[in-house]
Amino acid sequence: MDEKTLIQLDGLKQYFPLAKTGLGRKRRFLRAVDGVSLQIKQGETFGLVGESGCGKSTLGKSILQLYKRMGGEVWYYPETGERIALSKQSKKQMRALRKDLQIVFQDPYSSLNPRMTVGQIIGEGVTAHGLYKPHSKALQSYVLEVMQKCGLDEYALHRYPHEFSGGQRQRVCIARALAVKPKFVVCDECVSALDVSIQAQIINLLSHLKEKENLTYLFISHDLSVVRHIADTIAVMYLGKIVEIGKGERVFKNPLHPYTMALIRSVPTLAQNKNSKRIYLPPTTALQDNESVGCPFAKRCFMAKDVCFSKPVELWEGEKGHYASCHFVDMPKKQKEAQIDGERE
Ligand SMILES: Nc1ncnc2c1ncn2[C@@H]1O[C@H](COP(=O)(O)OP(=O)(O)OP(=O)(O)O)[C@@H](O)[C@H]1O
Ligand SMILES: [Mg+2]
């Protein structure tokens, strides 16, 4: 695999203001993305996992500058060899860059305009970016070609989104994103709403298109078994921060962060040992943990010691190219497992 960086995040932050509580109180923020730095390599599928509300979609949208930026930078390295700071682009420049940087939104129901036919939806970006002239024959045959690649029948061309099933709509969203010949696509939970057989079809489609069109994906999902199947690199997100990052196989074989261990054990088919006990994570008030001094996961962690509540964590290298933000990153896996299993005896 080509190891050239395509997208780089430097301390990306996206905070949302919360209602003020009490007179004269300082405004508080929900830190949905809290200083994320990572690199996405050309040609890879970068999996982003984490529980609901941890900030995955916000991260995906912030990369594509769909929010007013609050902090950090997103660098895009196109084939021309330039280094583009996305936040510094004017609206016009960003519009042109959107051809390269696409997103398939989490919700295929609300992200399609109900008043446009599938043909118009797929063709809209194509004409906006000047790939084909509006209403031309060439445009129609190109749209049909894209539809065919994405597994949509020709008859869909003149139909409206409400006439389709969830799986078909998801294909329309994918076709819309891919029609403009992008380089990088954020796939936000793009199979989570579908049943297993359709999931497999869409994933195969994405893998096939990736090979053919030399695409790079940021694949967001809370479903670890799907991510394991598709991702080359995996990042685990917890309360706006990346808590573990490494090559997919390593993260699954040797999870370094207790949160990752808990996530993996929560999926029966992924737990290596069928008798592995599930790790119970006590419920949390996200906001408080988000603002804690020590490790944000400490209150829920089965391994937590005093140091976890008082000393900040950062991403440490536990094995080559595999990082986790845990004070016990170097503790052997067996010892960690003994703690889980011991605790439950
Ligand atoms: N536009 C917004 N305004 C205010 N708060 C927001 C906004 N968008 C998201 N949030 C908050 O930011 C946090 C992260 O949301 P986000 O949608 O990124 O989570 P997620 O990891 O994608 O969750 P899910 O797996 O359920 O899709 C949540 O607490 C959410 O309530
Ligand atoms: Mg989401």
Side-chain angles (χ1 to χ4, degrees):
M1 197 202 311
D2 193 351
E3 285 289 290
K4 182 182 162 288
T5 299
L6 187 74
I7 299 282
Q8 182 178 331
L9 314 187
D10 278 343
L12 192 66
K13 286 183 184 159
Q14 182 63 53
Y15 292 2
F16 296 114
L18 294 166
K20 280 188 193 174
T21 43
L23 205 65
R25 289 266 184 91
K26 246 178 83 183
R27 186 175 274 296
R28 294 169 73 210
F29 288 89
L30 179 100
R31 304 188 215 163
V33 174
D34 198 7
V36 169
S37 301
L38 51 85
Q39 291 184 346
I40 301 176
K41 305 286 179 193
Q42 163 79 51
E44 79 170 339
T45 298
F46 189 104
L48 181 65
V49 300
E51 67 195 340
S52 185
C54 72
K56 304 181 295 297
S57 297
T58 310
L59 180 67
K61 289 182 197 163
S62 319
I63 295 177
L64 300 195
Q65 308 293 308
L66 298 176
Y67 293 111
K68 214 170 159 219
R69 192 182 70 106
M70 290 214 48
E73 189 54 86
V74 181
W75 299 96
Y76 170 48
Y77 297 82
E79 274 159 11
T80 51
E82 290 166 274
R83 182 177 192 244
I84 301 176
L86 292 185
S87 73
K88 308 272 182 334
Q89 304 302 301
S90 66
K91 271 199 177 146
K92 197 172 160 207
Q93 287 169 319
M94 200 57 221
R95 221 174 292 139
L97 282 168
R98 289 212 185 284
K99 187 191 150 320
D100 287 4
L101 313 170
Q102 285 286 314
I103 182 165
V104 179
F105 287 103
Q106 183 162 3
D107 183 3
Y109 292 85
S110 65
S111 62
L112 296 174
N113 185 340
R115 290 192 189 84
M116 285 165 81
T117 63
V118 166
Q120 288 167 336
I121 289 171
I122 298 173
E124 193 184 23
V126 179
T127 52
H129 290 293
L131 296 178
Y132 288 93
K133 282 210 180 92
H135 312 296
S136 62
K137 270 248 146 52
L139 170 68
Q140 179 157 345
S141 54
Y142 176 67
V143 168
L144 282 171
E145 185 192 319
V146 175
M147 283 170 60
Q148 195 213 348
K149 264 192 214 162
C150 295
L152 287 162
D153 287 332
E154 207 176 314
Y155 83 91
L157 192 67
H158 300 295
R159 307 248 169 158
Y160 292 86
H162 74 266
E163 296 174 67
F164 294 94
S165 70
Q168 287 168 323
R169 279 185 226 205
Q170 201 57 269
R171 285 168 193 266
V172 175
C173 295
I174 294 171
R176 173 176 61 181
L178 298 185
V180 296
K181 304 193 169 137
K183 304 282 180 234
F184 174 68
V185 185
V186 175
C187 303
D188 188 0
E189 305 275 8
C190 69
V191 294
S192 310
L194 309 172
D195 66 55
V196 179
S197 62
I198 314 272
Q199 267 190 2
Q201 281 177 22
I202 302 262
I203 286 180
N204 289 340
L205 169 70
L206 288 171
S207 312
H208 176 71
L209 294 171
K210 176 177 167 245
E211 297 308 322
K212 253 179 119 177
E213 320 279 332
N214 191 25
L215 290 166
T216 306
Y217 292 133
L218 171 63
F219 191 87
I220 300 176
S221 178
H222 59 259
D223 187 338
L224 267 83
S225 42
V226 171
V227 173
R228 177 174 203 173
H229 182 71
I230 195 169
D232 302 301
T233 304
I234 290 181
V236 181
M237 196 167 185
Y238 185 74
L239 291 181
K241 290 196 166 79
I242 301 300
V243 295
E244 177 152 0
I245 185 165
K247 288 281 160 228
E249 267 316 298
R250 291 314 300 161
V251 172
F252 279 100
K253 280 217 174 86
N254 184 30
L256 298 174
H257 198 286
Y259 178 61
T260 315
M261 294 178 83
L263 284 184
I264 292 175
R265 285 195 179 209
S266 70
V267 186
T269 48
L270 287 182
Q272 279 164 6
N273 176 354
K274 284 220 171 73
N275 300 322
S276 292
K277 284 168 184 156
R278 287 176 69 161
I279 301 172
Y280 170 68
L281 293 182
T284 174
T285 49
L287 201 57
Q288 280 171 13
D289 291 359
N290 205 214
E291 290 171 351
S292 65
V293 188
C295 169
F297 184 60
K299 265 194 239 160
R300 301 172 82 189
C301 184
F302 59 91
M303 291 179 14
K305 305 273 180 306
D306 288 348
V307 61
C308 304
F309 293 92
S310 54
K311 205 169 152 197
V313 279
E314 53 186 275
L315 283 167
W316 288 294
E317 194 168 26
E319 58 177 8
K320 197 168 176 297
H322 184 181
Y323 301 79
S325 59
C326 172
H327 287 295
F328 303 102
V329 70
D330 291 326
M331 187 190 279
K333 189 181 171 201
K334 276 211 166 114
Q335 215 171 321
K336 289 180 191 170
E337 283 182 335
Q339 292 199 32
I340 306 167
D341 298 329
E343 190 196 42
R344 319 246 136 241
E345 293 307 348

Short mmCIF file of all heavy atoms in Angstrom, two decimals, residues 16 30 32 51-58 67 106 189 222, ligand 1:
data_model
loop_
_atom_site.label_atom_id
_atom_site.label_comp_id
_atom_site.label_asym_id
_atom_site.label_seq_id
_atom_site.Cartn_x
_atom_site.Cartn_y
_atom_site.Cartn_z
N PHE A 16 -19.33 22.61 20.94
CA PHE A 16 -20.68 23.18 20.80
C PHE A 16 -21.04 23.88 22.10
O PHE A 16 -20.87 23.31 23.18
CB PHE A 16 -21.70 22.09 20.52
CG PHE A 16 -21.48 21.38 19.21
CD1 PHE A 16 -21.12 20.04 19.17
CD2 PHE A 16 -21.61 22.07 18.01
CE1 PHE A 16 -20.91 19.40 17.96
CE2 PHE A 16 -21.40 21.43 16.80
CZ PHE A 16 -21.05 20.09 16.78
N LEU A 30 -19.61 21.72 24.99
CA LEU A 30 -19.53 20.28 24.83
C LEU A 30 -18.41 20.03 23.82
O LEU A 30 -18.47 20.49 22.69
CB LEU A 30 -20.84 19.74 24.26
CG LEU A 30 -20.78 18.24 24.06
CD1 LEU A 30 -21.49 17.56 25.21
CD2 LEU A 30 -21.39 17.82 22.77
N ALA A 32 -17.15 18.06 21.47
CA ALA A 32 -17.51 16.90 20.64
C ALA A 32 -16.28 16.31 19.96
O ALA A 32 -16.14 15.10 19.84
CB ALA A 32 -18.54 17.31 19.61
N GLU A 51 -18.52 4.59 20.90
CA GLU A 51 -19.95 4.49 21.21
C GLU A 51 -20.71 5.72 20.72
O GLU A 51 -20.11 6.74 20.39
CB GLU A 51 -20.16 4.26 22.71
CG GLU A 51 -19.76 5.43 23.57
CD GLU A 51 -19.63 5.05 25.04
OE1 GLU A 51 -20.18 4.03 25.47
OE2 GLU A 51 -18.96 5.81 25.76
N SER A 52 -22.02 5.59 20.71
CA SER A 52 -22.87 6.67 20.22
C SER A 52 -22.61 7.96 21.01
O SER A 52 -22.51 7.95 22.23
CB SER A 52 -24.33 6.24 20.39
OG SER A 52 -25.16 7.19 19.84
N GLY A 53 -22.49 9.06 20.28
CA GLY A 53 -22.31 10.36 20.93
C GLY A 53 -20.87 10.72 21.22
O GLY A 53 -20.59 11.77 21.80
N CYS A 54 -19.91 9.88 20.84
CA CYS A 54 -18.51 10.17 21.18
C CYS A 54 -17.89 11.19 20.24
O CYS A 54 -16.79 11.68 20.49
CB CYS A 54 -17.67 8.89 21.22
SG CYS A 54 -17.37 8.19 19.60
N GLY A 55 -18.58 11.53 19.15
CA GLY A 55 -18.09 12.60 18.28
C GLY A 55 -17.63 12.14 16.89
O GLY A 55 -17.00 12.92 16.17
N LYS A 56 -17.98 10.93 16.50
CA LYS A 56 -17.51 10.40 15.21
C LYS A 56 -18.03 11.23 14.03
O LYS A 56 -17.26 11.64 13.17
CB LYS A 56 -17.94 8.93 15.04
CG LYS A 56 -17.49 8.02 16.17
CD LYS A 56 -17.91 6.59 15.94
CE LYS A 56 -19.40 6.33 15.94
NZ LYS A 56 -20.11 6.62 17.20
N SER A 57 -19.35 11.44 14.00
CA SER A 57 -19.92 12.20 12.88
C SER A 57 -19.39 13.63 12.88
O SER A 57 -19.10 14.19 11.82
CB SER A 57 -21.44 12.25 12.99
OG SER A 57 -21.97 10.97 12.89
N THR A 58 -19.27 14.20 14.07
CA THR A 58 -18.77 15.57 14.16
C THR A 58 -17.35 15.64 13.59
O THR A 58 -17.00 16.58 12.87
CB THR A 58 -18.79 16.06 15.62
OG1 THR A 58 -20.09 15.80 16.15
CG2 THR A 58 -18.49 17.54 15.71
N TYR A 67 -18.61 22.56 9.54
CA TYR A 67 -18.91 23.42 10.68
C TYR A 67 -18.01 24.63 10.60
O TYR A 67 -16.95 24.58 9.99
CB TYR A 67 -18.61 22.72 12.01
CG TYR A 67 -19.49 21.55 12.32
CD1 TYR A 67 -18.98 20.26 12.30
CD2 TYR A 67 -20.82 21.74 12.65
CE1 TYR A 67 -19.78 19.18 12.61
CE2 TYR A 67 -21.63 20.67 12.94
CZ TYR A 67 -21.11 19.39 12.93
OH TYR A 67 -21.90 18.33 13.23
N GLN A 106 -24.79 9.88 7.52
CA GLN A 106 -25.29 8.80 8.37
C GLN A 106 -26.74 8.43 8.02
O GLN A 106 -27.10 7.27 8.04
CB GLN A 106 -25.20 9.26 9.82
CG GLN A 106 -25.61 8.23 10.83
CD GLN A 106 -25.09 8.57 12.22
OE1 GLN A 106 -24.48 9.59 12.43
NE2 GLN A 106 -25.31 7.68 13.16
N GLU A 189 -21.38 5.76 9.08
CA GLU A 189 -22.36 4.73 9.42
C GLU A 189 -23.17 4.33 8.19
O GLU A 189 -24.39 4.19 8.27
CB GLU A 189 -23.35 5.23 10.50
CG GLU A 189 -22.70 5.74 11.76
CD GLU A 189 -22.37 4.65 12.76
OE1 GLU A 189 -22.51 3.45 12.41
OE2 GLU A 189 -21.95 4.99 13.87
N HIS A 222 -20.14 2.22 14.53
CA HIS A 222 -20.01 1.73 15.90
C HIS A 222 -20.02 0.20 15.90
O HIS A 222 -19.94 -0.43 16.94
CB HIS A 222 -21.12 2.30 16.79
CG HIS A 222 -22.49 1.94 16.32
ND1 HIS A 222 -23.28 2.80 15.62
CD2 HIS A 222 -23.17 0.79 16.41
CE1 HIS A 222 -24.40 2.21 15.30
NE2 HIS A 222 -24.36 0.98 15.77
N1 LIG B 1 -24.92 20.66 15.77
C1 LIG B 1 -24.75 20.30 17.04
N2 LIG B 1 -25.00 21.16 18.05
C2 LIG B 1 -24.80 20.83 19.34
N3 LIG B 1 -24.34 19.63 19.75
C3 LIG B 1 -24.07 18.72 18.80
C4 LIG B 1 -24.25 19.00 17.40
N4 LIG B 1 -23.90 17.90 16.70
C5 LIG B 1 -23.52 16.98 17.61
N5 LIG B 1 -23.62 17.46 18.86
C6 LIG B 1 -23.25 16.73 20.10
O1 LIG B 1 -21.92 16.32 19.95
C7 LIG B 1 -21.72 15.01 20.47
C8 LIG B 1 -21.17 14.11 19.40
O2 LIG B 1 -22.15 13.88 18.41
P1 LIG B 1 -21.89 13.00 17.12
O3 LIG B 1 -23.10 13.06 16.27
O4 LIG B 1 -20.61 13.42 16.50
O5 LIG B 1 -21.73 11.54 17.76
P2 LIG B 1 -21.52 10.14 17.03
O6 LIG B 1 -20.28 9.54 17.61
O7 LIG B 1 -21.58 10.33 15.55
O8 LIG B 1 -22.78 9.31 17.54
P3 LIG B 1 -23.66 8.20 16.75
O9 LIG B 1 -22.86 6.93 16.81
O10 LIG B 1 -24.90 8.11 17.57
O11 LIG B 1 -23.89 8.69 15.36
C9 LIG B 1 -23.08 14.56 20.99
O12 LIG B 1 -23.10 14.75 22.38
C10 LIG B 1 -24.05 15.48 20.30
O13 LIG B 1 -25.17 15.72 21.11
#
